[in-house]
Amino acid sequence: MLSTTGSEAYGYPLLIRHLLVNVADQSDAEIVSGDLRFSYRDFVDRVTRLAGLLAARGVRAGDTVAVMDWDSHRYLECYFAIPMMGAILQTVNVRLSPAQIDFTLRQSGAAFLLHHADFTHLCDQLLPGLPQIGGVIVMEGAADEDGYEALIAATSPDFAFADFDENAIATTFHTTGTTGDPKQVFFSHRQLVLHAITLAATLANQPDGQGLRRTNVYMPMTPMFHVHAWGMPYAATMLGVKQVYPGRYDPATLLALKQREDVDFSHCVPTILRMLLDAARGERLAPWTFVIGGAPLPLALAQEAAAAGITTLVGYGMSETGPIITLARSAPEDIAGRCRAGFPALLVQARIDTAHGGELLLRAPWLTQGYATQADSDALWAGGWMHTGDVGAVDPDGALRIVDRLKDIIKTGGEWVSSVDLEDLLVAQPGIAEAAVIGIPDTKWGERPAAFLVASQGAQPPDPDQLCAALEHHVTSGRISRYAIPERLLMVDALPRTSVGKIDKKALRLLLAE
Amino acid sequence: MLSTTGSEAYGYPLLIRHLLVNVADQSDAEIVSGDLRFSYRDFVDRVTRLAGLLAARGVRAGDTVAVMDWDSHRYLECYFAIPMMGAILQTVNVRLSPAQIDFTLRQSGAAFLLHHADFTHLCDQLLPGLPQIGGVIVMEGAADEDGYEALIAATSPDFAFADFDENAIATTFHTTGTTGDPKQVFFSHRQLVLHAITLAATLANQPDGQGLRRTNVYMPMTPMFHVHAWGMPYAATMLGVKQVYPGRYDPATLLALKQREDVDFSHCVPTILRMLLDAARGERLAPWTFVIGGAPLPLALAQEAAAAGITTLVGYGMSETGPIITLARSAPEDIAGRCRAGFPALLVQARIDTAHGGELLLRAPWLTQGYATQADSDALWAGGWMHTGDVGAVDPDGALRIVDRLKDIIKTGGEWVSSVDLEDLLVAQPGIAEAAVIGIPDTKWGERPAAFLVASQGAQPPDPDQLCAALEHHVTSGRISRYAIPERLLMVDALPRTSVGKIDKKALRLLLAE
C-alpha cells in the first residue's frame, strides 16, 4: 500500500490555541467577571493582546510565567495567552504559606509574575529573594495606568501565535499534599486539549441536569490555581458557554451572582457547599448542578443541598490527574448514588490493585508524567500505572467508590476500617456538622479509630453515648465492623484544613500525639 | 524548571483500542444485528477473538484486511479488531463496479478478505487475479462451520493487543468521486480517536433532540463502507450506546427495526430519507433524529420529514475529512436553519478562500494527509489547508452554507449561479420530487442552466411555463438572478447516481452532450 502525505499537509498539533479556533464565530454568550462583561470575540482579542504584552516585556517560549489571582477573566486570559505563546503558566496556590509560595516560585524558575493587588505586600517581601523573576504586572482595573487593564488596552491585537510541539509543557503547579514540600506537576498542550475534549464529551453525556452543555451558565468555585479549576474553564471556553468569574470566594457574592447571571453549573469542595447552604438560609437555588470533589461528599450534605434545589454529583481526580478521572451519575432521586466517585470518563482506564491494599491505579491521556525529581516520578508510575494513593472499590453497576486514602485507612483487629465510611456515619447523626477519623496506635489491636467532631451551628453538643449507640446499630446491620466504633470522640471548634480546604489529618495526628 | 518523567510512565498513545477501555463495565445497552443481540462485554470478547482468528490466519501488523459486508455487528467487530491488532481495515465500497472494486483491492494491496456471502460470486471472479490476498473468511452465520460465526466461537479470547505508534494507519478506503478512478484515503489511529471524542462532544452539545447522547438508540443508514459510517459507530461504541445494525438497507426493514428497537438517532443521504418517507406512508416516526449529508437537503424534504415526526439536521463532510466537519443546529421549529451545513465541530478551522471562487478550506486533527499519489496529495493540501472543492459562505450567525461544488457552480452573464440553490427552488414546486441543475455552454452568456426534473409519484408532469413563472417570482424578490432561469427543463424518470447515492452530474453533462 502506498500512502503519501501532501508536502504542505497540516498535521494539526494539539495546542491550547486550537480550543479557540471557532468559538468567537459561534458563541453569542458572555464572559462575566465582577461588573465586566466580554463577548467571546472580545476575549480572543484580549488573549492576543496579553500575549503581545508579555512578549514586549521579554517573555519567550519556554519561560515560566507565574500568576497569583482570584478567579477572574484576567486569570482565564492567562490560561490561554501564556501557553499559546509557548510559555508555561504557573498557577500559584495563594493559600500556601509565604515560605511555601517562595518555594514553588523558586522551584518553577518563574521568569515573570502577574499578581492581584491583594498580593502586593506578599510579593514585595518575596521578590527581592527571587531575582530570576524579571518582570511583574499587577492585575489591576483600568484606573491604574500601569495595571493589567491599561496595558492590555494599549497593546495591539496582532500577536502571531506560532505552532510548536504539542508535548511542550503548558502549565505547572504544585500539589497540596499534607506530607513534605508541595510537589510540582506538569501538563502539556496535548494533555490539556485531550482533557478538555474528553471532559466536554463526558459531561455532555451525563443525564440531564448532571452535566455541562453549551447552554449552561458556568461559575467556578474551585480556585483557578487549583488543578486548572478542574479543567472546566478550558472545556467551557472551547464550547462558548456563558461563564461567570466570581473573584475571591465570598458566599454572599456567589449567591448574588448565581441569581443575577442564572448560573446553573459549578464545582467545589464539600466545605464550600456547606458555606453556601449556610449563607442561603433556605433560599431556593434550583437549577444548580455542583460537581463535588477534593473530599468525600457526605450523604447528609448532599440531601441538604437537594432540599435547597442543588443537584450534586461527585467527580474524582487529583492534582496529578489534571484532574478529571470519574464522574458520578444516577437517576435524579438517587442522591446516594452520586456520592460515589462514579464512572471513569471516556478513555480513562482504572484498575484496583487488590494485591496492594486495593490501591486505585490509572491510565489516561492527561496524567502528569512526573514531578520535579526523578525518584518521585518513578514511584508515581511504578509498573506503568499511576499510583493514586487512594483505595478504591467497584460497585456492581461499574461505579467506583473511593474507600479511603491508602495512608488513612485504619487496620484494627485484623480488619480494614475506612475512615471515610465512619465519617459519613458520624455526620449523619443529629447535631454533627463535620467529622474526621484517624487511626491511633494501639498495642493490642494495631490501630483504633479516633473521631474529631464539630457540632452543628446552634446545636447541643452531641452525647457520646448516644453516638456510640447509633454506631452499634450499624454494627448490628453489618454496615461496619465492631472494631470501627471509635476509641475516642473529641469535640473541636473546627477541623484543621489544607490550603485547598481538605481536612488535614496529619495535623490531627500531631494534635493527638501532643 | 526541572520536569522529569517516570521511567515507566505511560504516555497513552491514541489507539482505537482505547475507545473500549471502560465501556464493557459501564454500559448495559445492547448491540443488535438482525435477530442477534450482544452485550458490550460480548462485543469486546468477540473483538478479541476476531483478532486472534486473523492472527492465526497469518494477518500481521501493517497488513491490509479488506471487508465487504452490509451493516452488521460483524462489520463493527472489524472496525475495532483489525486496527487494534495493528492491521489496516479497508472498507470496500460494494456498490462500485466489479472493475472498480478490483482496482481498489489491488491499490490497497489487501492481504486478507472478509466478505458477506452476497459477494461470493463477485469474489470468485476477482480473487484469481489478486494473488496477494492470502486468505478469505465468509461473514456467515453459525450454520456454516467455515463461516465467521463458527470460527469466532472456536477461537479463544486471549489475544494480547500491543501498543504501537498512534500515527499508524488504521483504516483506508476509496472516494467515490465522479471524475477518474476512485482515490484512496487513509486515517490513522490518532485521527480516528480524535474524531470519535470530538464528534461525541459536538453531538452531545447539540440542542435536545438534535444530537446523540449515551441514552439514544443508534442505527446507521449510511453504509459502513462509506467514510466509517460517518464515524458514528466509533463514537457510539465508545459511549456504550444501544446500537442497531440493519444489514442491507431495505425501507421496510429499517422502519420495522426503528419501531422494534426504539431507534431514535440515524444518519443518511437525502435519497434514503426520501425512500423511508415513501415507505412509511404517513406513519408517525417520532422521536427520530437524522443527520443528513452527502448531498444538499431540500427544505421541502426536511418539512415533509418533520411532518412525519423526524428531526433533520445537516452534517457536512467528505471522504477526505473522516468525515465530520460541521453540524447544523437551530431552534426546534427552524427547519430551514438546519438545512445549512451548520457550525464547525470543536477543533475544526474553516476558511472561505474568497480569492479563489469562495472555496472552503479546512484544518482539523482528522483530515487525510494525502492520497496514494504524491501529486494528488500536494494538490489537496496546497498552501497548508485542505481543499474541499466546495464553495462555502458564512451566515451572520456563524453557520456555514455550502453554495455549490466549485465545479458545478454556473457562471452566466458574469454572475455566479448556484446549481444547489436552483435545485432547492425547483423541488419546492408542486409535482417535482427531484431536480438536478448543470451548466451548459453558451456562446453569448458563457454558461446557461439546464434542469433535469423527476415528477412526484402519481403527480401530473409539471407545466414548464408555470415552473418558469414561479422562478420569475424569485427573480423579482431578489432571491436569484434573472440568469438563473433555466434555458432547458428536461423531465426524466430518475436521476443518475453515484455508488453512494449522490446525483452524478458528470453523467448528466454527457447525456446532454449526446
Side-chain angles (χ1 to χ4, degrees):
Chain A
M1 191 182 62
L2 188 68
S3 96
T4 72
T5 296
S7 51
E8 297 180 275
Y10 188 65
Y12 208 107
L14 299 176
L15 300 175
I16 301 280
R17 177 170 81 75
H18 286 132
L19 300 180
L20 299 182
V21 287
N22 62 41
V23 70
D25 295 330
Q26 288 193 35
S27 175
D28 52 10
E30 288 180 318
I31 296 171
V32 180
S33 182
D35 292 328
L36 301 173
R37 315 183 82 84
F38 303 95
S39 70
Y40 271 86
R41 208 166 287 288
D42 296 335
F43 171 75
V44 172
D45 175 88
R46 288 172 57 94
V47 163
T48 313
R49 288 169 189 263
L50 174 56
L53 170 61
L54 293 174
R57 294 293 180 98
V59 173
R60 296 286 168 267
D63 285 350
T64 297
V65 178
V67 175
M68 297 170 69
D69 195 6
W70 312 116
D71 290 10
S72 70
H73 66 290
R74 296 174 194 124
Y75 215 143
L76 187 67
E77 288 157 14
C78 290
Y79 263 46
F80 285 87
I82 294 169
M84 281 166 65
M85 65 192 295
I88 299 161
L89 167 69
Q90 182 189 2
T91 55
V92 179
N93 182 341
V94 297
R95 299 236 182 90
L96 292 176
S97 69
Q100 283 181 314
I101 290 177
D102 181 75
F103 171 84
T104 62
L105 288 171
R106 196 175 302 279
Q107 188 175 45
S108 75
F112 201 93
L113 174 66
L114 297 109
H115 71 79
H116 189 280
D118 284 0
F119 307 110
T120 301
H121 179 70
L122 174 62
C123 291
D124 285 349
Q125 287 181 301
L126 299 180
L127 284 171
L130 292 165
Q132 85 277 13
I133 296 186
V136 175
I137 290 174
V138 181
M139 296 176 100
E140 199 51 83
D144 181 342
E145 67 182 16
D146 290 331
Y148 183 101
E149 290 296 333
L151 292 170
I152 290 285
T155 305
S156 70
D158 57 3
F159 185 86
F161 293 104
D163 278 357
F164 44 80
D165 185 345
E166 67 184 23
N167 294 305
I169 293 172
T171 65
T172 186
F173 56 90
H174 285 73
T175 65
T176 51
T178 49
T179 50
D181 278 328
K183 284 179 184 164
Q184 191 177 4
V185 292
F186 309 89
F187 296 92
S188 69
H189 282 257
R190 171 188 165 103
Q191 291 178 318
L192 292 174
V193 170
L194 290 171
H195 187 272
I197 314 170
T198 310
L199 176 59
T202 303
L203 278 169
N205 273 289
Q206 289 280 103
D208 287 345
Q210 296 177 29
L212 172 74
R213 292 178 194 148
R214 186 177 273 129
T215 44
N216 284 100
V217 180
Y218 163 63
M219 179 167 74
M221 297 196 300
T222 329
M224 294 180 81
F225 64 71
H226 183 54
V227 206
H228 317 113
W230 298 358
M232 302 286 182
Y234 283 123
T237 304
M238 171 183 75
L239 288 167
V241 166
K242 177 176 173 182
Q243 303 184 60
V244 179
Y245 285 87
R248 187 172 185 170
Y249 296 166
D250 162 70
T253 307
L254 295 171
L255 290 170
L257 282 170
K258 184 270 182 293
Q259 302 294 12
R260 189 184 86 190
E261 304 294 340
D262 296 319
V263 170
D264 59 7
F265 182 84
S266 293
H267 49 82
C268 63
V269 293
T271 315
I272 298 274
L273 175 59
R274 173 77 270 151
M275 282 169 48
L276 271 183
L277 290 173
D278 289 342
R281 298 166 182 277
E283 181 188 355
R284 279 293 293 176
L285 298 170
W288 205 356
T289 301
F290 279 53
V291 180
I292 302 288
L297 172 62
L299 177 59
L301 179 58
Q303 286 167 331
E304 198 183 330
I310 290 175
T311 301
T312 55
L313 60 117
V314 166
Y316 170 78
M318 50 200 289
S319 294
E320 287 81 351
T321 67
I324 299 297
I325 293 298
T326 65
L327 282 178
R329 61 174 185 264
S330 67
E333 65 284 3
D334 179 16
I335 298 170
R338 294 192 302 278
C339 289
R340 304 175 297 171
F343 299 91
L346 297 171
L347 304 183
V348 171
Q349 221 174 339
R351 213 175 91 184
I352 306 292
D353 188 3
T354 45
H356 298 93
E359 187 180 12
L360 175 65
L361 305 180
L362 297 174
R363 285 179 169 179
W366 50 80
L367 311 183
T368 190
Q369 298 288 287
Y371 300 112
T373 65
Q374 190 66 50
D376 286 343
S377 302
D378 289 348
L380 182 70
W381 278 103
W385 290 77
M386 208 203 87
H387 291 253
T388 62
D390 283 322
V391 178
V394 178
D395 280 349
D397 63 354
L400 183 73
R401 272 184 298 109
I402 300 298
V403 175
D404 209 341
R405 288 293 290 166
L406 197 54
K407 63 180 165 42
D408 289 339
I409 202 162
I410 300 160
K411 192 159 195 183
T412 178
E415 292 196 33
W416 295 101
V417 169
S418 159
S419 64
V420 177
D421 258 10
L422 207 45
E423 289 158 6
D424 220 22
L425 294 177
L426 287 165
V427 170
Q429 299 305 316
I432 300 193
E434 294 183 302
V437 172
I438 60 170
I440 48 175
D442 184 286
T443 47
K444 184 168 177 194
W445 302 106
E447 286 186 306
R448 289 284 294 140
F452 293 79
L453 303 172
V454 180
S456 301
Q457 283 188 334
Q460 292 290 326
D463 173 15
D465 290 343
Q466 276 185 353
L467 274 180
C468 285
L471 291 178
E472 289 286 357
H473 178 74
H474 291 296
V475 173
T476 314
S477 78
R479 167 82 190 267
I480 53 173
S481 96
R482 65 194 171 91
Y483 301 106
I485 305 289
E487 171 93 1
R488 298 182 63 179
L489 291 168
L490 300 102
M491 297 305 302
V492 289
D493 291 338
L495 294 172
R497 294 194 179 269
T498 69
S499 59
V500 292
K502 295 188 195 187
I503 295 170
D504 187 348
K505 292 202 172 175
K506 189 177 149 207
L508 289 175
R509 287 194 188 91
L510 286 173
L511 194 70
L512 212 60
E514 286 164 9
Chain B
M1 191 183 64
L2 187 68
S3 94
T4 73
T5 296
S7 51
E8 296 180 276
Y10 188 66
Y12 207 109
L14 299 176
L15 300 176
I16 301 280
R17 176 170 81 75
H18 286 131
L19 300 180
L20 299 182
V21 287
N22 61 41
V23 70
D25 295 331
Q26 288 193 34
S27 176
D28 53 10
E30 289 181 317
I31 296 171
V32 180
S33 183
D35 292 328
L36 301 173
R37 315 183 83 83
F38 303 96
S39 69
Y40 271 85
R41 206 166 288 286
D42 295 336
F43 171 74
V44 172
D45 175 88
R46 289 173 56 94
V47 163
T48 312
R49 288 169 189 262
L50 174 55
L53 169 61
L54 293 174
R57 293 294 180 97
V59 173
R60 296 287 170 263
D63 285 350
T64 297
V65 178
V67 175
M68 297 170 69
D69 195 7
W70 311 115
D71 291 10
S72 71
H73 66 290
R74 296 173 197 126
Y75 215 142
L76 188 67
E77 289 157 13
C78 290
Y79 264 45
F80 285 87
I82 293 168
M84 282 167 66
M85 65 191 295
I88 299 162
L89 166 68
Q90 182 189 2
T91 55
V92 179
N93 182 342
V94 296
R95 299 238 181 88
L96 292 177
S97 68
Q100 283 180 313
I101 292 177
D102 180 74
F103 172 84
T104 64
L105 288 170
R106 195 175 303 278
Q107 189 175 44
S108 75
F112 202 92
L113 174 65
L114 297 110
H115 71 81
H116 190 279
D118 285 0
F119 308 110
T120 301
H121 179 70
L122 174 62
C123 291
D124 284 348
Q125 286 181 301
L126 299 180
L127 284 171
L130 293 164
Q132 86 276 13
I133 296 184
V136 176
I137 292 175
V138 180
M139 297 175 100
E140 200 50 83
D144 182 343
E145 67 183 17
D146 291 331
Y148 184 100
E149 291 295 334
L151 293 170
I152 290 285
T155 306
S156 69
D158 58 3
F159 185 85
F161 293 104
D163 278 358
F164 45 80
D165 184 346
E166 68 184 24
N167 294 305
I169 293 173
T171 64
T172 186
F173 55 90
H174 286 73
T175 66
T176 51
T178 48
T179 50
D181 278 328
K183 285 180 183 165
Q184 193 177 3
V185 292
F186 309 90
F187 296 92
S188 69
H189 282 257
R190 172 188 165 103
Q191 290 178 317
L192 292 174
V193 170
L194 290 171
H195 187 272
I197 314 170
T198 310
L199 176 59
T202 303
L203 278 170
N205 273 288
Q206 288 281 101
D208 288 345
Q210 296 178 29
L212 172 74
R213 293 179 193 146
R214 186 177 274 130
T215 44
N216 283 101
V217 180
Y218 163 63
M219 179 168 75
M221 297 195 301
T222 330
M224 294 181 81
F225 63 72
H226 183 54
V227 207
H228 317 113
W230 299 358
M232 302 287 182
Y234 283 123
T237 304
M238 171 182 76
L239 288 166
V241 166
K242 177 177 173 181
Q243 303 184 62
V244 180
Y245 286 86
R248 186 171 187 170
Y249 296 167
D250 162 70
T253 306
L254 295 172
L255 290 171
L257 283 171
K258 184 270 182 291
Q259 302 294 13
R260 189 184 86 190
E261 304 295 340
D262 296 319
V263 171
D264 59 7
F265 182 85
S266 292
H267 48 82
C268 64
V269 293
T271 314
I272 298 276
L273 175 59
R274 174 76 271 152
M275 281 169 47
L276 271 183
L277 290 174
D278 290 342
R281 299 166 181 275
E283 181 186 356
R284 280 292 293 176
L285 299 170
W288 206 355
T289 301
F290 279 53
V291 179
I292 301 288
L297 172 62
L299 177 59
L301 180 57
Q303 286 167 330
E304 197 183 330
I310 290 175
T311 301
T312 55
L313 60 117
V314 166
Y316 169 78
M318 48 201 288
S319 294
E320 287 81 352
T321 67
I324 299 296
I325 293 299
T326 65
L327 282 178
R329 61 173 185 264
S330 66
E333 64 283 3
D334 179 17
I335 297 170
R338 294 193 300 278
C339 288
R340 303 176 298 172
F343 299 91
L346 297 171
L347 304 183
V348 170
Q349 221 174 341
R351 213 175 92 184
I352 306 293
D353 188 4
T354 44
H356 298 93
E359 187 180 11
L360 175 65
L361 306 180
L362 298 174
R363 285 179 170 179
W366 51 80
L367 312 182
T368 189
Q369 298 288 287
Y371 300 111
T373 65
Q374 190 67 49
D376 286 343
S377 302
D378 289 348
L380 182 69
W381 278 103
W385 289 76
M386 207 204 87
H387 291 253
T388 62
D390 282 322
V391 178
V394 178
D395 280 349
D397 64 353
L400 183 75
R401 272 184 299 109
I402 301 299
V403 175
D404 210 340
R405 286 294 290 167
L406 197 55
K407 63 180 167 42
D408 289 339
I409 202 161
I410 300 161
K411 192 160 196 182
T412 178
E415 293 196 33
W416 295 101
V417 170
S418 159
S419 64
V420 177
D421 257 9
L422 207 45
E423 288 158 8
D424 220 20
L425 294 177
L426 287 165
V427 170
Q429 300 304 317
I432 300 194
E434 294 183 301
V437 173
I438 60 171
I440 47 175
D442 183 287
T443 46
K444 183 166 177 195
W445 303 106
E447 285 186 305
R448 289 284 296 140
F452 293 79
L453 304 172
V454 180
S456 302
Q457 282 189 336
Q460 292 290 327
D463 173 15
D465 290 344
Q466 277 186 353
L467 272 181
C468 285
L471 291 177
E472 288 286 357
H473 177 75
H474 291 296
V475 173
T476 314
S477 78
R479 167 81 190 267
I480 53 172
S481 95
R482 65 193 170 92
Y483 301 106
I485 305 287
E487 171 94 1
R488 298 183 64 182
L489 292 169
L490 300 100
M491 296 307 301
V492 290
D493 291 338
L495 294 171
R497 295 195 179 268
T498 70
S499 58
V500 293
K502 295 190 196 187
I503 295 169
D504 187 348
K505 292 201 173 176
K506 190 178 149 207
L508 290 174
R509 287 193 188 91
L510 285 174
L511 193 70
L512 212 59
E514 286 163 11

